[in-house]
Amino acid sequence: MMNEVVDNWIAVITAGLWNSYCIQHMKKLGYKVLAFDQDPNAPGFKWADKKITVDINDEKAVINALIETKIRPCGATSMVSDAGAYAAVAIREKYNLPGPNRKVTERMKNKYLQRKIWSEHGLNVPEWILIEADQDASYISKKLDHPFVIKPIDSSGSRGVEVLFTDESLNEHIRSARNFSRDNCIIAESYIDGTEYSVETFTHEGVTNVLTISERIRFNFTTAIQIHTASISENLRIKIGDLVCRALQSLEFNSGPAHTEVIVSTDGIPFLVETAGRGGGFRIFDLMIKEVTGFDIVQESINQIVGKRPNIFEQTSSQQRFGVLRFLHGDPGKVISLAFSKTLLKLRKNEEKILTEFLVAEGDYIKKIANDSDRSAYIIAFAKTFARASRLAEDASQSVKIKTIK
Protein backbone atom coordinates (compact mmCIF):
# COMPACT_ATOMS: atom_id res chain seq x y z
CA MET A 1 0.00 0.00 0.00
CA MET A 2 1.18 3.51 -0.79
CA ASN A 3 2.55 5.81 1.92
CA GLU A 4 2.30 3.22 4.69
CA VAL A 5 4.59 3.48 7.67
CA VAL A 6 6.19 0.16 8.60
CA ASP A 7 8.30 0.77 11.68
CA ASN A 8 7.90 -1.89 14.36
CA TRP A 9 4.34 -0.94 15.21
CA ILE A 10 2.19 -3.38 17.21
CA ALA A 11 -1.59 -2.96 17.27
CA VAL A 12 -3.01 -3.69 20.74
CA ILE A 13 -6.73 -4.12 21.31
CA THR A 14 -7.75 -3.13 24.17
CA ALA A 15 -5.94 -0.59 26.39
CA GLY A 16 -7.27 -1.58 29.81
CA LEU A 17 -5.22 -1.82 32.99
CA TRP A 18 -3.84 -5.33 32.44
CA ASN A 19 -2.93 -4.64 28.82
CA SER A 20 -1.24 -1.40 29.90
CA TYR A 21 1.52 -3.44 31.54
CA CYS A 22 2.01 -5.38 28.28
CA ILE A 23 2.13 -2.12 26.33
CA GLN A 24 4.90 -0.88 28.63
CA HIS A 25 6.81 -4.12 27.99
CA MET A 26 6.51 -3.62 24.23
CA LYS A 27 7.88 -0.09 24.59
CA LYS A 28 10.88 -1.35 26.56
CA LEU A 29 11.63 -3.76 23.71
CA GLY A 30 11.70 -0.87 21.24
CA TYR A 31 8.29 -1.31 19.58
CA LYS A 32 5.80 1.44 18.89
CA VAL A 33 2.28 0.78 20.06
CA LEU A 34 -0.99 1.65 18.37
CA ALA A 35 -3.68 1.10 21.01
CA PHE A 36 -7.42 0.72 20.39
CA ASP A 37 -10.14 1.05 23.00
CA GLN A 38 -13.70 2.37 23.16
CA ASP A 39 -12.93 4.10 26.47
CA PRO A 40 -11.20 7.45 25.80
CA ASN A 41 -9.74 7.26 29.31
CA ALA A 42 -8.34 3.74 28.98
CA PRO A 43 -5.19 3.56 31.17
CA GLY A 44 -3.10 1.94 28.44
CA PHE A 45 -3.45 5.03 26.26
CA LYS A 46 -0.95 6.74 28.56
CA TRP A 47 1.82 4.46 27.29
CA ALA A 48 0.80 4.08 23.64
CA ASP A 49 2.52 6.00 20.83
CA LYS A 50 -0.83 6.44 19.13
CA LYS A 51 -4.32 5.89 20.53
CA ILE A 52 -7.58 5.29 18.70
CA THR A 53 -10.96 5.50 20.41
CA VAL A 54 -13.30 3.19 18.51
CA ASP A 55 -15.94 0.54 19.10
CA ILE A 56 -13.69 -2.54 19.28
CA ASN A 57 -16.68 -4.79 18.53
CA ASP A 58 -17.01 -3.11 15.12
CA GLU A 59 -14.25 -4.79 13.12
CA LYS A 60 -14.79 -2.61 10.04
CA ALA A 61 -14.49 0.54 12.15
CA VAL A 62 -11.25 -0.75 13.68
CA ILE A 63 -9.78 -1.56 10.26
CA ASN A 64 -10.85 1.78 8.78
CA ALA A 65 -9.34 3.65 11.73
CA LEU A 66 -6.09 1.74 11.27
CA ILE A 67 -5.99 2.44 7.53
CA GLU A 68 -6.41 6.15 8.20
CA THR A 69 -3.24 6.17 10.30
CA LYS A 70 -1.24 4.88 7.30
CA ILE A 71 0.51 2.54 9.74
CA ARG A 72 1.10 -1.06 8.70
CA PRO A 73 1.62 -3.00 11.95
CA CYS A 74 4.08 -5.87 12.25
CA GLY A 75 1.83 -7.55 14.80
CA ALA A 76 -1.69 -7.42 16.26
CA THR A 77 -2.86 -8.79 19.60
CA SER A 78 -5.40 -8.49 22.38
CA MET A 79 -2.85 -9.93 24.88
CA VAL A 80 -4.91 -10.36 28.09
CA SER A 81 -8.24 -9.18 26.67
CA ASP A 82 -11.05 -11.41 25.45
CA ALA A 83 -12.95 -8.36 24.25
CA GLY A 84 -10.32 -7.40 21.70
CA ALA A 85 -9.77 -10.86 20.21
CA TYR A 86 -11.95 -10.51 17.10
CA ALA A 87 -10.62 -7.06 16.22
CA ALA A 88 -7.08 -8.42 16.53
CA VAL A 89 -8.00 -11.26 14.14
CA ALA A 90 -9.42 -8.74 11.67
CA ILE A 91 -6.14 -6.82 11.66
CA ARG A 92 -4.11 -10.00 11.25
CA GLU A 93 -6.31 -11.02 8.33
CA LYS A 94 -5.98 -7.60 6.70
CA TYR A 95 -2.19 -7.51 6.90
CA ASN A 96 -1.39 -11.25 6.85
CA LEU A 97 0.17 -11.19 10.32
CA PRO A 98 1.08 -14.17 12.54
CA GLY A 99 -1.26 -15.39 15.25
CA PRO A 100 -4.40 -17.48 15.77
CA ASN A 101 -6.87 -17.40 12.88
CA ARG A 102 -10.59 -16.65 13.14
CA LYS A 103 -11.68 -20.26 13.55
CA VAL A 104 -9.30 -20.86 16.44
CA THR A 105 -10.11 -17.51 18.03
CA GLU A 106 -13.82 -18.36 17.94
CA ARG A 107 -13.12 -21.67 19.64
CA MET A 108 -11.00 -20.03 22.32
CA LYS A 109 -13.77 -17.56 23.11
CA ASN A 110 -16.87 -19.73 22.81
CA LYS A 111 -17.55 -22.00 25.79
CA TYR A 112 -20.13 -24.00 23.84
CA LEU A 113 -17.68 -24.84 21.05
CA GLN A 114 -15.07 -25.77 23.63
CA ARG A 115 -17.36 -28.25 25.36
CA LYS A 116 -18.62 -29.65 22.07
CA ILE A 117 -15.11 -30.32 20.79
CA TRP A 118 -13.82 -31.59 24.11
CA SER A 119 -16.76 -33.97 24.41
CA GLU A 120 -16.12 -35.25 20.87
CA HIS A 121 -12.49 -35.90 21.83
CA GLY A 122 -13.44 -37.79 24.99
CA LEU A 123 -11.97 -35.23 27.39
CA ASN A 124 -13.35 -34.80 30.91
CA VAL A 125 -16.00 -32.08 31.05
CA PRO A 126 -18.99 -31.66 33.37
CA GLU A 127 -22.32 -32.82 31.96
CA TRP A 128 -23.61 -29.86 29.98
CA ILE A 129 -26.32 -28.54 27.65
CA LEU A 130 -26.67 -25.52 25.39
CA ILE A 131 -29.61 -23.16 25.98
CA GLU A 132 -30.19 -21.15 22.82
CA ALA A 133 -31.90 -17.79 22.61
CA ASP A 134 -35.38 -19.18 21.92
CA GLN A 135 -35.27 -22.10 24.40
CA ASP A 136 -37.29 -22.19 27.60
CA ALA A 137 -35.33 -22.18 30.85
CA SER A 138 -37.25 -25.18 32.19
CA TYR A 139 -35.31 -27.32 29.71
CA ILE A 140 -32.33 -27.20 32.08
CA SER A 141 -34.08 -28.89 34.99
CA LYS A 142 -35.26 -31.64 32.69
CA LYS A 143 -31.68 -32.44 31.69
CA LEU A 144 -29.53 -31.64 34.75
CA ASP A 145 -29.82 -32.31 38.46
CA HIS A 146 -29.23 -29.55 41.00
CA PRO A 147 -26.93 -27.89 41.66
CA PHE A 148 -25.92 -26.69 38.20
CA VAL A 149 -23.98 -23.76 36.79
CA ILE A 150 -25.24 -21.35 34.13
CA LYS A 151 -22.91 -19.12 32.16
CA PRO A 152 -22.90 -17.10 28.92
CA ILE A 153 -21.08 -18.89 26.12
CA ASP A 154 -18.85 -15.92 25.33
CA SER A 155 -18.20 -13.84 28.46
CA SER A 156 -15.22 -13.66 30.82
CA GLY A 157 -14.39 -12.55 34.34
CA SER A 158 -17.25 -14.59 35.88
CA ARG A 159 -19.78 -12.22 34.33
CA GLY A 160 -23.21 -13.80 34.22
CA VAL A 161 -22.07 -16.97 35.98
CA GLU A 162 -24.39 -18.41 38.63
CA VAL A 163 -24.53 -21.62 40.67
CA LEU A 164 -28.18 -22.59 41.17
CA PHE A 165 -29.34 -25.01 43.84
CA THR A 166 -33.08 -24.69 43.07
CA ASP A 167 -35.30 -23.51 40.21
CA GLU A 168 -36.31 -20.43 42.18
CA SER A 169 -36.01 -17.32 39.96
CA LEU A 170 -34.50 -19.51 37.24
CA ASN A 171 -35.87 -17.39 34.40
CA GLU A 172 -34.48 -14.26 36.02
CA HIS A 173 -31.03 -15.83 36.30
CA ILE A 174 -31.21 -16.97 32.69
CA ARG A 175 -32.12 -13.45 31.49
CA SER A 176 -29.23 -12.01 33.49
CA ALA A 177 -26.77 -14.49 32.01
CA ARG A 178 -27.99 -13.79 28.47
CA ASN A 179 -27.21 -10.09 28.96
CA PHE A 180 -23.51 -10.97 28.95
CA SER A 181 -23.64 -12.97 25.71
CA ARG A 182 -23.31 -11.44 22.25
CA ASP A 183 -25.16 -14.47 20.87
CA ASN A 184 -27.81 -14.46 23.62
CA CYS A 185 -26.92 -18.08 24.37
CA ILE A 186 -25.86 -19.78 27.58
CA ILE A 187 -24.69 -23.18 28.71
CA ALA A 188 -25.73 -25.07 31.81
CA GLU A 189 -23.47 -27.68 33.35
CA SER A 190 -23.37 -29.93 36.38
CA TYR A 191 -21.70 -28.43 39.41
CA ILE A 192 -18.50 -30.29 40.31
CA ASP A 193 -17.62 -30.27 43.99
CA GLY A 194 -13.85 -30.00 44.23
CA THR A 195 -10.81 -27.73 43.99
CA GLU A 196 -10.45 -25.24 41.17
CA TYR A 197 -7.16 -24.53 39.42
CA SER A 198 -6.03 -22.12 36.73
CA VAL A 199 -3.32 -23.27 34.35
CA GLU A 200 -1.08 -20.87 32.43
CA THR A 201 0.52 -22.23 29.27
CA PHE A 202 2.59 -21.10 26.32
CA THR A 203 2.23 -22.81 22.95
CA HIS A 204 4.55 -22.55 19.97
CA GLU A 205 4.17 -24.50 16.71
CA GLY A 206 1.58 -26.72 18.35
CA VAL A 207 3.73 -27.68 21.34
CA THR A 208 2.28 -26.54 24.68
CA ASN A 209 4.35 -25.99 27.81
CA VAL A 210 2.61 -25.80 31.19
CA LEU A 211 4.09 -22.86 33.10
CA THR A 212 2.11 -22.57 36.32
CA ILE A 213 -0.77 -24.32 38.05
CA SER A 214 -2.52 -22.16 40.64
CA GLU A 215 -5.23 -23.00 43.13
CA ARG A 216 -8.26 -20.72 43.17
CA ILE A 217 -10.06 -19.99 46.45
CA ARG A 218 -13.61 -18.93 45.65
CA PHE A 219 -15.80 -16.42 47.46
CA ASN A 220 -19.28 -17.09 46.09
CA PHE A 221 -18.91 -20.28 44.02
CA THR A 222 -17.78 -18.21 41.02
CA THR A 223 -15.42 -15.36 41.93
CA ALA A 224 -11.94 -16.11 43.29
CA ILE A 225 -10.72 -14.21 46.34
CA GLN A 226 -7.25 -15.74 46.15
CA ILE A 227 -5.12 -17.41 43.50
CA HIS A 228 -1.87 -18.99 44.64
CA THR A 229 0.82 -21.35 43.37
CA ALA A 230 -0.56 -24.84 43.91
CA SER A 231 1.13 -27.32 46.23
CA ILE A 232 0.03 -30.58 44.63
CA SER A 233 1.49 -34.02 44.00
CA GLU A 234 3.53 -34.61 40.88
CA ASN A 235 0.93 -37.14 39.79
CA LEU A 236 -1.88 -34.58 39.94
CA ARG A 237 0.32 -31.98 38.25
CA ILE A 238 0.88 -34.38 35.35
CA LYS A 239 -2.83 -35.22 35.15
CA ILE A 240 -3.87 -31.55 35.01
CA GLY A 241 -1.11 -30.59 32.58
CA ASP A 242 -1.87 -33.48 30.23
CA LEU A 243 -5.59 -32.67 30.19
CA VAL A 244 -4.95 -29.00 29.42
CA CYS A 245 -2.46 -29.77 26.64
CA ARG A 246 -4.92 -32.20 25.02
CA ALA A 247 -7.71 -29.65 25.37
CA LEU A 248 -5.72 -26.95 23.54
CA GLN A 249 -4.60 -29.41 20.88
CA SER A 250 -8.20 -30.45 20.23
CA LEU A 251 -9.10 -26.78 19.65
CA GLU A 252 -6.17 -26.51 17.17
CA PHE A 253 -4.61 -23.80 19.30
CA ASN A 254 -1.05 -23.72 17.98
CA SER A 255 0.55 -20.53 19.28
CA GLY A 256 0.38 -18.09 22.14
CA PRO A 257 -0.45 -17.91 25.83
CA ALA A 258 -3.57 -19.59 27.18
CA HIS A 259 -5.42 -19.42 30.49
CA THR A 260 -7.34 -22.60 31.30
CA GLU A 261 -9.51 -23.40 34.31
CA VAL A 262 -9.86 -26.91 35.68
CA ILE A 263 -11.77 -28.41 38.61
CA VAL A 264 -10.42 -31.51 40.34
CA SER A 265 -13.30 -33.42 41.92
CA THR A 266 -13.20 -34.71 45.47
CA ASP A 267 -12.25 -38.14 44.10
CA GLY A 268 -9.26 -36.72 42.22
CA ILE A 269 -10.63 -36.50 38.65
CA PRO A 270 -9.76 -33.28 36.74
CA PHE A 271 -12.51 -31.70 34.64
CA LEU A 272 -12.11 -28.92 32.07
CA VAL A 273 -14.07 -25.75 32.86
CA GLU A 274 -12.99 -23.33 30.11
CA THR A 275 -10.00 -21.89 28.33
CA ALA A 276 -9.05 -18.59 26.70
CA GLY A 277 -6.37 -17.76 24.16
CA ARG A 278 -4.85 -14.99 26.23
CA GLY A 279 -2.84 -14.37 29.36
CA GLY A 280 -4.45 -14.28 32.79
CA GLY A 281 -5.51 -10.90 34.12
CA PHE A 282 -4.74 -9.26 37.45
CA ARG A 283 -0.95 -9.42 36.86
CA ILE A 284 -0.90 -13.20 36.40
CA PHE A 285 0.36 -12.83 32.82
CA ASP A 286 2.85 -10.00 33.09
CA LEU A 287 4.15 -10.59 36.61
CA MET A 288 3.16 -13.79 38.41
CA ILE A 289 4.37 -16.27 35.78
CA LYS A 290 7.81 -14.69 35.52
CA GLU A 291 8.22 -14.32 39.29
CA VAL A 292 7.25 -17.95 39.92
CA THR A 293 9.03 -19.65 37.00
CA GLY A 294 11.60 -17.21 35.65
CA PHE A 295 10.01 -17.43 32.18
CA ASP A 296 9.24 -14.05 30.59
CA ILE A 297 5.99 -14.99 28.86
CA VAL A 298 5.21 -11.40 27.87
CA GLN A 299 8.46 -11.00 25.96
CA GLU A 300 8.12 -14.37 24.26
CA SER A 301 4.49 -13.65 23.35
CA ILE A 302 5.62 -10.38 21.77
CA ASN A 303 8.22 -12.33 19.78
CA GLN A 304 5.44 -14.58 18.47
CA ILE A 305 3.19 -11.62 17.66
CA VAL A 306 5.78 -10.07 15.34
CA GLY A 307 6.85 -13.37 13.76
CA LYS A 308 10.07 -13.97 15.69
CA ARG A 309 10.91 -17.33 17.17
CA PRO A 310 10.36 -17.25 20.94
CA ASN A 311 12.57 -18.79 23.55
CA ILE A 312 10.89 -21.92 24.86
CA PHE A 313 10.21 -22.57 28.53
CA GLU A 314 12.64 -24.99 30.13
CA GLN A 315 11.01 -27.22 32.73
CA THR A 316 14.15 -27.05 34.88
CA SER A 317 13.47 -23.39 35.63
CA SER A 318 10.02 -24.07 37.07
CA GLN A 319 8.87 -23.34 40.61
CA GLN A 320 11.45 -20.68 41.38
CA ARG A 321 9.14 -19.12 43.97
CA PHE A 322 5.60 -19.24 45.30
CA GLY A 323 3.09 -16.52 44.52
CA VAL A 324 -0.07 -15.50 46.36
CA LEU A 325 -2.53 -13.17 44.64
CA ARG A 326 -5.22 -11.94 47.03
CA PHE A 327 -8.22 -9.79 46.16
CA LEU A 328 -9.80 -7.27 48.51
CA HIS A 329 -13.26 -5.77 48.49
CA GLY A 330 -14.41 -2.69 50.35
CA ASP A 331 -17.79 -2.34 51.98
CA PRO A 332 -20.50 -1.26 49.52
CA GLY A 333 -20.77 2.52 49.28
CA LYS A 334 -18.87 5.59 48.12
CA VAL A 335 -15.08 5.44 48.55
CA ILE A 336 -13.86 8.27 50.77
CA SER A 337 -10.26 7.19 51.39
CA LEU A 338 -7.67 4.61 50.36
CA ALA A 339 -4.48 3.79 52.27
CA PHE A 340 -1.70 1.21 52.33
CA SER A 341 1.09 1.05 54.89
CA LYS A 342 4.44 0.88 53.10
CA THR A 343 6.31 -0.05 56.29
CA LEU A 344 5.52 -3.70 55.52
CA LEU A 345 7.71 -3.50 52.42
CA LYS A 346 10.75 -2.98 54.64
CA LEU A 347 10.19 -6.35 56.30
CA ARG A 348 10.59 -8.43 53.19
CA LYS A 349 13.82 -10.19 52.29
CA ASN A 350 15.79 -9.57 49.11
CA GLU A 351 14.24 -12.47 47.18
CA GLU A 352 10.72 -11.52 48.27
CA LYS A 353 8.29 -9.13 46.66
CA ILE A 354 5.02 -7.48 47.69
CA LEU A 355 2.86 -5.39 45.41
CA THR A 356 -0.54 -3.81 45.96
CA GLU A 357 -2.78 -1.80 43.68
CA PHE A 358 -6.18 -0.21 44.19
CA LEU A 359 -8.77 -0.88 41.50
CA VAL A 360 -11.07 1.88 42.74
CA ALA A 361 -10.47 5.58 43.38
CA GLU A 362 -11.86 8.06 45.85
CA GLY A 363 -15.37 9.00 44.77
CA ASP A 364 -16.07 5.63 43.13
CA TYR A 365 -18.96 3.52 44.32
CA ILE A 366 -18.33 -0.04 45.47
CA LYS A 367 -21.15 -2.51 44.98
CA LYS A 368 -21.71 -5.99 46.29
CA ILE A 369 -19.22 -8.30 44.58
CA ALA A 370 -20.78 -10.26 41.72
CA ASN A 371 -17.87 -10.87 39.34
CA ASP A 372 -14.15 -10.24 38.90
CA SER A 373 -14.62 -6.61 37.80
CA ASP A 374 -16.11 -5.72 41.21
CA ARG A 375 -12.83 -6.21 43.10
CA SER A 376 -11.52 -3.17 44.99
CA ALA A 377 -7.80 -3.97 45.25
CA TYR A 378 -5.28 -6.76 44.95
CA ILE A 379 -2.13 -7.80 46.76
CA ILE A 380 0.47 -10.09 45.25
CA ALA A 381 3.34 -11.56 47.23
CA PHE A 382 6.26 -13.81 46.24
CA ALA A 383 8.59 -15.81 48.46
CA LYS A 384 10.63 -19.02 48.55
CA THR A 385 7.90 -20.91 50.40
CA PHE A 386 4.11 -20.88 50.21
CA ALA A 387 3.87 -20.26 53.96
CA ARG A 388 6.06 -17.15 53.73
CA ALA A 389 4.24 -15.79 50.66
CA SER A 390 0.91 -16.34 52.44
CA ARG A 391 2.15 -14.50 55.54
CA LEU A 392 3.32 -11.54 53.45
CA ALA A 393 -0.05 -11.40 51.67
CA GLU A 394 -1.97 -11.62 54.95
CA ASP A 395 0.08 -8.87 56.61
CA ALA A 396 -0.31 -6.68 53.53
CA SER A 397 -4.07 -7.30 53.52
CA GLN A 398 -4.32 -6.01 57.07
CA SER A 399 -2.50 -2.83 56.08
CA VAL A 400 -4.87 -1.94 53.23
CA LYS A 401 -7.65 0.43 54.27
CA ILE A 402 -10.66 1.12 52.05
CA LYS A 403 -13.14 3.45 53.72
CA THR A 404 -16.63 3.92 52.30
CA ILE A 405 -19.87 5.61 53.29
CA LYS A 406 -23.35 4.44 52.44
Side-chain angles (χ1 to χ4, degrees):
M1 295 182 181
M2 296 297 291
N3 301 319
E4 282 189 330
V5 177
V6 184
D7 189 21
N8 283 349
W9 284 87
I10 298 177
V12 179
I13 308 96
T14 58
L17 180 59
W18 314 126
N19 262 355
S20 72
Y21 295 108
C22 300
I23 290 171
Q24 292 174 58
H25 207 124
M26 293 173 187
K27 297 284 293 177
K28 289 177 182 178
L29 292 175
Y31 292 99
K32 294 182 179 180
V33 176
L34 175 61
F36 296 77
D37 204 293
Q38 50 205 35
D39 179 5
N41 299 311
F45 280 163
K46 174 183 177 182
W47 308 99
D49 296 279
K50 189 171 183 61
K51 60 183 182 180
I52 295 178
T53 304
V54 64
D55 180 0
I56 58 171
N57 294 313
D58 187 339
E59 294 180 25
K60 290 183 179 179
V62 170
I63 293 297
N64 288 337
L66 177 54
I67 291 172
E68 288 180 7
T69 68
K70 300 189 183 303
I71 293 171
R72 183 183 179 90
C74 62
T77 180
S78 60
M79 272 298 192
V80 296
S81 167
D82 280 321
Y86 287 127
V89 168
I91 294 173
R92 291 197 291 267
E93 290 174 339
K94 172 69 176 177
Y95 295 99
N96 193 28
L97 300 173
N101 60 30
R102 187 171 294 273
K103 182 182 76 171
V104 172
T105 298
E106 172 72 8
R107 290 177 173 182
M108 297 301 288
K109 279 181 60 67
N110 189 302
K111 297 175 178 64
Y112 159 66
L113 290 178
Q114 289 173 15
R115 280 156 182 75
K116 181 176 182 293
I117 292 170
W118 290 340
S119 296
E120 291 171 349
H121 281 75
L123 301 178
N124 287 346
V125 293
E127 185 180 359
W128 64 276
I129 55 174
L130 172 68
I131 309 298
E132 299 185 82
D134 57 351
Q135 278 187 296
D136 187 84
S138 62
Y139 178 68
I140 302 176
S141 297
K142 296 175 182 177
K143 295 291 184 179
L144 298 176
D145 294 328
H146 292 97
F148 54 75
V149 183
I150 60 170
K151 59 182 71 175
I153 66 169
D154 51 0
S155 70
S156 61
S158 301
R159 295 173 181 86
V161 179
E162 298 266 10
V163 178
L164 303 179
F165 292 85
T166 71
D167 282 346
E168 184 179 354
S169 304
L170 178 58
N171 285 319
E172 181 182 335
H173 290 300
I174 295 297
R175 283 194 296 270
S176 176
R178 290 192 197 280
N179 289 336
F180 293 96
S181 173
R182 294 200 326 178
D183 297 326
N184 206 26
C185 294
I186 66 169
I187 58 171
E189 64 186 16
S190 298
Y191 175 76
I192 302 293
D193 186 19
T195 305
E196 186 174 333
Y197 298 92
S198 55
V199 184
E200 312 306 320
T201 58
F202 185 70
T203 303
H204 183 65
E205 295 180 346
V207 178
T208 296
N209 286 278
V210 176
L211 306 177
T212 61
I213 299 176
S214 302
E215 183 175 346
R216 301 168 61 87
I217 308 300
R218 289 175 290 182
F219 164 70
N220 55 0
F221 294 105
T222 57
T223 303
I225 58 170
Q226 179 170 299
I227 300 172
H228 60 257
T229 308
S231 296
I232 56 178
S233 69
E234 187 62 21
N235 181 54
L236 182 55
R237 187 177 301 277
I238 291 171
K239 277 186 180 180
I240 293 173
D242 179 66
L243 180 62
V244 170
C245 289
R246 290 165 61 201
L248 295 176
Q249 184 180 41
S250 71
L251 298 174
E252 299 181 33
F253 183 77
N254 293 321
S255 68
H259 173 83
T260 307
E261 295 183 6
V262 172
I263 288 182
V264 177
S265 65
T266 52
D267 53 359
I269 300 174
F271 289 84
L272 292 162
V273 177
E274 61 191 52
T275 192
R278 57 166 176 80
F282 294 93
R283 309 304 303 272
I284 292 173
F285 181 62
D286 73 287
L287 180 63
M288 194 167 185
I289 292 173
K290 185 176 180 181
E291 291 291 340
V292 170
T293 69
F295 180 71
D296 192 341
I297 189 172
V298 179
Q299 179 167 321
E300 303 313 331
S301 296
I302 293 170
N303 283 337
Q304 275 191 330
I305 289 163
V306 300
K308 295 181 179 179
R309 184 172 183 84
N311 292 312
I312 303 302
F313 174 67
E314 295 291 340
Q315 195 67 37
T316 54
S317 67
S318 66
Q319 200 72 23
Q320 299 291 322
R321 289 193 289 183
F322 286 81
V324 174
L325 172 59
R326 184 169 296 181
F327 302 106
L328 305 179
H329 191 260
D331 294 330
K334 182 179 180 180
V335 179
I336 58 174
S337 69
L338 299 166
F340 170 66
S341 173
K342 295 184 178 179
T343 57
L344 178 68
L345 301 182
K346 299 177 182 178
L347 302 178
R348 62 184 174 86
K349 301 174 184 176
N350 290 335
E351 71 273 12
E352 297 173 346
K353 179 177 288 188
I354 308 170
L355 178 71
T356 187
E357 185 171 14
F358 290 106
L359 304 174
V360 294
E362 291 184 12
D364 288 347
Y365 283 86
I366 294 176
K367 59 183 180 180
K368 183 179 178 181
I369 190 165
N371 56 58
D372 296 357
S373 64
D374 296 327
R375 293 162 173 161
S376 303
Y378 71 85
I379 290 165
I380 190 164
F382 302 100
K384 282 291 185 181
T385 67
F386 173 65
R388 176 60 179 167
S390 295
R391 171 47 55 190
L392 290 173
E394 177 60 27
D395 290 347
S397 298
Q398 297 301 319
S399 72
V400 172
K401 306 298 180 185
I402 303 171
K403 291 186 179 180
T404 62
I405 57 172
K406 295 288 187 180

